[in-house]
Amino acid sequence: MKLDSNSRHKAIRIALYNHKGGVGKTTLTVNIASALADKGYKVLLVDSDPQCNLTSYLFEESVVDSLLDESDTQKGRTLWSVLKPIVEAEGNYNYVSPYDTLVPHLMLLAGDIRLAEFEESLGLFWGECLQRRIRGFRGTNALSAFVNQCCHKFEIDYVFYDTGPNIGPLNRIILLDCDYFIVPVSCDLFSIRALKSLGHTLASWITDWRTITRLAPVDIYLMTGKPKFLGYIPQRFKIYGGAITRISQKYIAKLEKVIFSEIVSILRDIDEGLVDKRAHVAKLGEVKDFSTLIQQAQSEGVPLSKTTAGTAGQKEQAARAFDKIAKAIILKTL
Amino acid sequence: MTRVKLPQRTIESINGMVKLYKKEQSQFKTFARQVHDLFSEHPLLVPYIHSMKYRVKKPDHLRRKLLKKAREAYGRKEKFLITEANLYEEIDDLAGVRILHLHTEQMTEINASLLKIIEEQKYVLISGPVANTWDIEYEKFFKGLNMQISERDTMYTSVHYVLGANNIYQTRCELQVRTLMEEVWGEVSHKINYPIETSSISCKEQIKVLARVTSSCTRLVDSIFKSYHEHQSFHTSKK
């Protein structure tokens, strides 16, 4: 297959994105992806956050360390090994195979702290795209093109990108490559505040990319630049006696309102197609505070439902919560 | 020439085209700026370029141009075939970029570099290079560079290329390359004859004389640089 293949594989690319930190993006990403893999879908996780939380979640610390040590060498298999030639202007990206994980059907493209260097170059590449320079297009689309190649090679059904908590150029290319994005939110005031700038940021990325692609040559690989809003997931709310507490409920109601006014309506203004017709059912599911399970699951590199800690009831609850989200995703992305 | 009266539907069609262009004008501006920046910053061209400029056609000037073309077509008893569907293919100079350089012989390097960069950056060369010239000596020179020759009765001189962005919209841009002296002639002629050609015979006469003067200046600069380079290489070889 040609490296610059223009054909976009049918795999559905999704990012859980909220530039507000600490909303549990990585934990949600792993668990939702695992729930989909459990149903027999082939899922590719992309650890595109220079903090490598996703890789650290799935692999033991010593493994992660050696991955990072080797990433700059011939043996390297992280995203830095892939993207280094792009940063160093030595031509196209370098193909490496994704890793298998402990979960069947779930693969991982390992992250790397040196992705921060790629991110720095992305700023420059973006400027070059605005100038319609081939180098800019190659750099900006490299991650997307590589993920696309993996999708072709492993017949992937779903791709999940993990994102860092910021509105930097790396998240910009991730979101522009995605078919859908999901907004994880926690039930607090800061989370609601952050949502207000999320819609505007996305809208400006999409419209800038539209300007760029209008003048781009037809025979090069380009990200689609149309991330649709798939829904939001409230989480870490407090449960008391089996029901959501009143204070959490109050926040959920507020969240919903802000999501409509600051995300749905803004995206709809730039392109009707960016918002699902059923946008009124924007909540994909909900994930309560599983704090004790999370720590153990992270150290074992498995989804919450498969950790050795916690009670069977808790794990059952976790499995059900993520299964529900996975089902909602399948239904909405059909 | 008697003014041909255009049918209402043609005028409406022209209004529609101008309206469409107004809506998409910013894209042409972006494209012109991209082409301008690409060439003005390119290390292969920097040694030869004196200065560059870019512009987009004003909607009102497009209207005049279309009206003129329509009148010409009807005057010849032909159909006016420009529509919204082919507007951007028929009118090449909605986006325009100009390269100014010192003397004609630099075109050897400039042309070679332009063609190389155009290919490298995945632009398409829709037409050109076409050398507009009335000077027999320069005609031979441009032919030697595999250029098409075109002679206009206005005594206009410049080398033209039409570049396409190779994008889905087939956006194009006219690139003009000319010497500083040709620019002097071009600017004077433009100010006097655009958008409405002057009826003053003496102005027309003087502009034709100016063409000879500026052409001689360019030729003189060619000669000065040739002498200079010969002189330089003679003295270096002696050392």
Side-chain angles (χ1 to χ4, degrees):
Chain A
M1 199 189 78
K2 245 175 76 188
L3 283 185
D4 252 353
S5 171
N6 282 350
S7 66
R8 184 170 162 97
H9 186 265
K10 64 180 191 334
I12 291 161
R13 283 79 158 169
I14 300 175
L16 276 84
Y17 182 54
N18 186 341
H19 57 298
K20 157 97 176 58
V23 291
K25 283 187 288 286
T26 305
T27 309
L28 276 177
T29 302
V30 170
N31 282 279
I32 294 171
S34 303
L36 282 162
D38 256 358
K39 295 184 180 301
Y41 290 102
K42 293 194 88 175
V43 184
L44 177 66
L45 286 170
V46 186
D47 188 359
S48 35
D49 174 4
Q51 291 186 37
C52 315
N53 293 341
L54 182 59
T55 308
S56 309
Y57 186 127
L58 292 166
F59 291 160
E60 269 179 45
E61 213 181 314
S62 58
V63 177
V64 178
D65 286 344
S66 71
L67 276 181
L68 295 180
D69 285 344
E70 278 178 3
S71 75
D72 206 37
T73 69
Q74 288 285 316
K75 284 196 281 180
R77 269 179 73 184
T78 71
L79 282 179
W80 171 249
S81 325
V82 174
L83 297 163
K84 188 185 164 200
I86 296 281
V87 177
E88 294 175 354
E90 283 169 358
N92 215 329
Y93 68 80
N94 180 26
Y95 176 81
V96 306
S97 284
Y99 286 96
D100 286 321
T101 65
L102 291 174
V103 181
H105 307 304
L106 184 68
M107 301 183 93
L108 169 74
L109 287 169
D112 200 307
I113 40 175
R114 293 191 70 178
L115 274 180
E117 288 169 52
F118 174 61
E119 180 154 29
E120 256 174 59
S121 307
L122 279 176
L124 181 79
F125 293 146
W126 188 260
E128 288 178 337
C129 281
L130 287 164
Q131 294 180 308
R132 199 198 162 282
R133 302 288 167 90
I134 300 304
R135 191 178 81 150
F137 290 126
R138 186 181 292 151
T140 305
N141 293 288
L143 178 61
S144 166
F146 166 61
V147 168
N148 190 47
Q149 192 183 356
C150 293
C151 290
H152 277 288
K153 195 158 181 180
F154 296 96
E155 293 177 343
I156 299 295
D157 297 303
Y158 286 96
V159 174
F160 282 85
Y161 284 102
D162 198 22
T163 58
N166 59 63
I167 49 169
L170 185 52
N171 282 340
R172 179 167 57 197
I173 61 157
I174 291 165
L175 267 293
L176 290 174
D177 190 41
C178 279
D179 300 290
Y180 296 96
F181 69 98
I182 295 170
V183 182
V185 280
S186 55
C187 295
D188 60 64
L189 188 65
F190 300 146
S191 229
I192 293 174
R193 284 206 160 275
L195 288 177
K196 293 193 175 175
S197 55
L198 189 64
H200 287 280
T201 303
L202 279 168
S204 79
W205 289 348
I206 294 166
T207 48
D208 282 357
W209 186 243
R210 204 189 271 171
T211 308
I212 288 170
T213 50
R214 276 187 181 154
L215 285 162
V218 283
D219 53 348
I220 59 166
Y221 179 88
L222 291 171
M223 305 178 293
T224 45
K226 284 182 183 159
K228 273 191 186 179
F229 175 60
L230 189 61
Y232 73 99
I233 303 174
Q235 49 153 3
R236 294 199 181 154
F237 45 77
K238 299 284 181 226
I239 300 271
Y240 189 76
I244 301 176
T245 59
R246 257 179 51 206
I247 185 139
S248 285
Q249 255 176 0
K250 195 184 89 187
Y251 276 120
I252 291 177
K254 257 194 194 166
L255 278 171
E256 189 127 325
K257 232 170 120 186
V258 175
I259 280 169
F260 276 92
S261 63
E262 306 294 332
I263 298 178
V264 175
S265 66
I266 286 173
L267 291 181
R268 193 175 272 152
D269 280 352
I270 57 170
D271 183 352
E272 287 273 346
L274 294 173
V275 178
D276 195 41
K277 288 197 177 60
R278 294 160 295 175
H280 56 282
V281 278
K283 196 168 80 175
L284 286 177
E286 51 200 21
V287 179
K288 66 162 198 143
D289 195 346
F290 287 111
S291 54
T292 47
L293 282 189
I294 289 175
Q295 282 171 2
Q296 188 62 24
Q298 286 178 353
S299 74
E300 290 172 18
V302 292
L304 303 184
S305 59
K306 297 198 173 128
T307 167
T308 53
T311 64
Q314 277 177 318
K315 284 189 274 190
E316 177 61 30
Q317 266 186 354
R320 243 186 291 130
F322 290 110
D323 184 65
K324 194 184 155 213
I325 295 171
K327 277 183 183 150
I329 290 174
I330 295 164
L331 196 72
K332 285 187 150 198
T333 57
L334 271 182
Chain B
M1 196 177 91
T2 51
R3 213 173 157 89
V4 182
K5 195 169 170 5
L6 294 173
Q8 190 57 29
R9 62 183 157 78
T10 305
I11 292 174
E12 273 165 24
S13 152
I14 288 174
N15 287 341
M17 288 187 255
V18 174
K19 205 171 151 192
L20 173 77
Y21 171 60
K22 256 189 196 164
K23 213 174 82 193
E24 292 171 359
Q25 197 184 8
S26 69
Q27 190 166 314
F28 288 89
K29 189 159 191 182
T30 308
F31 187 44
R33 192 172 49 232
Q34 287 171 341
V35 173
H36 170 276
D37 293 351
L38 174 67
F39 294 138
S40 67
E41 291 162 12
H42 205 286
L44 282 176
L45 285 171
V46 167
Y48 301 101
I49 292 178
H50 171 273
S51 52
M52 282 185 70
K53 39 184 160 179
Y54 70 93
R55 65 101 182 96
V56 285
K57 205 178 221 24
K58 292 191 180 104
D60 212 38
H61 290 174
L62 172 63
R63 184 191 310 278
R64 277 206 193 100
K65 185 166 187 164
L66 291 170
L67 287 171
K68 189 174 162 220
K69 279 184 178 273
R71 279 194 202 101
E72 285 168 359
Y74 284 107
R76 290 191 304 264
K77 305 247 179 294
E78 286 169 9
K79 276 186 181 165
F80 175 61
L81 295 171
I82 306 176
T83 62
E84 284 186 27
N86 65 11
L87 174 67
Y88 297 151
E89 285 154 50
E90 293 293 325
I91 309 293
D92 281 332
D93 66 343
L94 293 171
V97 176
R98 190 175 293 162
I99 294 178
L100 301 179
H101 62 113
L102 271 183
H103 59 104
T104 307
E105 287 189 348
Q106 291 173 314
M107 266 321 282
T108 309
E109 287 81 11
I110 293 175
N111 180 55
S113 301
L114 284 174
L115 296 178
K116 186 167 181 262
I117 300 164
I118 287 168
E119 196 190 334
E120 190 182 276
Q121 292 298 325
K122 291 182 184 269
Y123 285 94
V124 281
L125 187 59
I126 293 166
S127 72
V130 177
N132 296 281
T133 184
W134 49 266
D135 180 308
I136 300 171
E137 197 188 4
Y138 280 139
E139 187 179 315
K140 227 182 256 168
F141 169 74
F142 289 126
K143 272 186 181 161
L145 299 179
N146 279 327
M147 291 185 185
Q148 259 176 276
I149 307 295
S150 157
E151 194 183 337
R152 302 196 189 179
D153 41 7
T154 56
M155 296 182 86
Y156 173 85
T157 56
S158 259
V159 178
H160 285 195
Y161 303 74
V162 177
L163 302 190
N166 191 19
N167 58 343
I168 39 174
Y169 302 94
Q170 295 300 328
T171 312
R172 30 180 96 183
C173 160
E174 185 180 77
L175 175 68
Q176 304 176 343
V177 188
R178 58 171 78 149
T179 66
L180 277 173
M181 283 324 239
E182 288 170 329
E183 175 75 351
V184 170
W185 182 88
E187 286 294 287
V188 173
S189 169
H190 187 84
K191 284 262 174 353
I192 303 293
N193 289 314
Y194 197 81
I196 298 156
E197 200 182 310
T198 178
S199 54
S200 155
I201 292 176
S202 78
C203 275
K204 282 183 182 173
E205 283 292 298
Q206 290 173 67
I207 285 171
K208 284 190 175 169
V209 178
L210 182 64
R212 290 183 149 76
V213 176
T214 51
S215 167
S216 300
C217 283
T218 293
R219 182 65 184 81
L220 178 59
V221 181
D222 262 340
S223 173
I224 291 171
F225 275 94
K226 207 179 223 166
S227 315
Y228 175 75
H229 291 310
E230 270 174 13
H231 176 80
Q232 289 288 91
S233 64
F234 178 69
H235 283 276
T236 357
S237 65
K238 263 209 320 202
K239 277 176 199 167

